[in-house]
Amino acid sequence: KMDRDKFNTALITFDKVRRCRAKTEVSFGTPTNIVDKIDGVEAWGVSPLADAIALSNKMLTKIDKKMVVLLSDGKDNCGGNPVEEAKKLYKKYGVKVNLQVIGYAVEKKKQEELRKIANISRDWMYHDAKNGDAVKKIIEKIIPTPQKEQIDTIINRVEDRPSFVMT
């Protein structure tokens, strides 16, 4: 569950300065509201999914309830292997990590890589979303008792900038 008081959510985005690198936009324990940071997230053609999953792996070490929501508009185009990074995540945490992949307006061809990530564990799932409303419904389904106002705001702000990872 997202808990505003415990700040147990983080946001990883893709770094414009260090191309093909993920960066921590909001760290665990930081009182910065993730929703406020989404305004600065832009899709700009580079998706280092493998690097983002690897960064999630490092960040989750001291977190009890581990959930990664990977929201992407395509496949890794930075030479990384997100499937291998997701396997490392599962190997390290096993059933203690829940990874949910949301393909946002993803072409059929690009869905395959995202599905491979979700297929690593029988508990992980791939969700296909054609638009922001579909993303909202998926998030409401996978995150128990979400903070509705935050989800509404996130969806409204990412519709034009879909490439980021929420953990």
Side-chain angles (χ1 to χ4, degrees):
K1 294 181 184 178
M2 292 188 284
D3 186 336
R4 190 182 299 232
D5 295 328
K6 293 184 181 177
F7 310 117
N8 62 350
T9 56
L11 176 66
I12 298 172
T13 62
F14 302 142
D15 195 335
K16 287 185 190 177
V17 177
R18 299 176 310 142
R19 295 184 68 80
C20 287
R21 298 294 293 176
K23 70 175 183 174
T24 305
E25 194 73 42
V26 178
S27 299
F28 290 113
T30 304
T32 304
N33 190 330
I34 288 175
V35 173
D36 296 337
K37 288 293 188 176
I38 297 238
D39 272 337
V41 176
E42 296 177 32
W44 48 281
V46 178
S47 298
L49 298 178
D51 196 53
I53 294 169
L55 182 55
S56 295
N57 193 342
K58 291 177 190 169
M59 291 175 67
L60 291 170
T61 301
K62 296 181 181 181
I63 304 300
D64 292 331
K65 294 180 181 179
K66 299 164 181 30
M67 176 179 237
V68 176
V69 178
L70 176 63
L71 174 62
S72 178
D73 64 347
K75 65 178 193 166
D76 187 300
N77 56 5
C78 289
N81 187 333
V83 174
E84 287 305 313
E85 291 301 328
K87 284 179 182 177
K88 290 177 189 175
L89 183 72
Y90 186 76
K91 184 177 180 180
K92 184 173 182 179
Y93 301 112
V95 296
K96 293 181 181 179
V97 66
N98 179 359
L99 189 140
Q100 300 292 310
V101 181
I102 303 173
Y104 180 80
V106 177
E107 302 167 6
K108 291 272 186 207
K109 227 165 77 169
K110 293 180 180 178
Q111 284 181 9
E112 188 58 33
E113 182 173 318
L114 296 176
R115 288 182 187 280
K116 286 179 183 176
I117 294 168
N119 288 337
I120 290 169
S121 169
R122 65 184 175 101
D123 297 320
W124 296 0
M125 291 186 66
Y126 174 80
H127 310 268
D128 190 41
K130 302 288 183 211
N131 55 43
D133 286 337
V135 173
K136 177 183 171 185
K137 287 177 186 173
I138 292 165
I139 291 175
E140 287 174 343
K141 178 181 161 187
I142 63 178
I143 299 175
T145 58
Q147 295 174 354
K148 185 178 175 355
E149 70 281 357
Q150 281 198 359
I151 289 175
D152 287 341
T153 306
I154 287 170
I155 298 311
N156 290 334
R157 293 181 183 180
V158 278
E159 284 192 309
D160 295 327
R161 306 175 291 277
S163 293
F164 70 92
V165 177
M166 290 175 42
T167 60

